[in-house]
Amino acid sequence: MADYEVELREALVGTVGRRATVAAYPRWSASVWDLVARAVAAALNEGAEELPARPAEFDVPVYDDGRKYINVHEIPEPARTIFARKIEYSSVPHSGCAYAHDWLDFLAGNR
């Protein structure tokens, strides 16, 4: 049996996420990926080795002035920072905004 300490970091934001311990893990009982999954689950769920509830969908309003767009400042963090980096060199309809199709592509994992 072994104890492991884990620390999640958000590389894009540059902050330390959460710390947790996987206690009394039966070493050599499964692949390393089982340990990784337990460590991530423990760090995300305040020490419990189960995944937390999935967050609710982002409710970012879409505006239409002939072009469908969103206001980037209405996206909750940390998604806002990650999305802003993904569209850094893309065209935008207005300052501080992004096209709605770029946001939908980002949510679908295509950006």
Side-chain angles (χ1 to χ4, degrees), residues 81-106:
T81 301
I82 298 167
F83 178 68
R85 289 198 178 152
K86 296 282 186 179
I87 65 162
E88 187 173 12
Y89 300 108
S90 298
S91 62
V92 295
H94 307 288
S95 178
C97 297
Y99 285 108
H101 67 268
D102 286 337
W103 173 241
L104 296 173
D105 286 348
F106 174 77

Side-chain angles (χ1 to χ4, degrees), residues 21-108:
T21 301
V22 176
Y25 181 78
R27 191 182 236 184
W28 311 114
S29 65
S31 76
V32 69
W33 298 112
D34 179 66
L35 176 59
V36 169
R38 288 172 183 250
V40 168
L44 289 177
N45 205 23
E46 299 177 6
E49 290 182 26
E50 57 188 46
L51 290 175
R54 188 173 183 171
E57 291 294 322
F58 291 109
D59 189 20
V60 177
V62 175
Y63 302 97
D64 190 351
D65 67 354
R67 300 169 292 194
K68 292 186 178 187
Y69 67 94
I70 61 163
N71 288 322
V72 175
H73 72 275
E74 293 177 338
I75 301 171
E77 286 291 357
R80 178 187 322 154
T81 301
I82 298 167
F83 178 68
R85 289 198 178 152
K86 296 282 186 179
I87 65 162
E88 187 173 12
Y89 300 108
S90 298
S91 62
V92 295
H94 307 288
S95 178
C97 297
Y99 285 108
H101 67 268
D102 286 337
W103 173 241
L104 296 173
D105 286 348
F106 174 77
L107 290 177

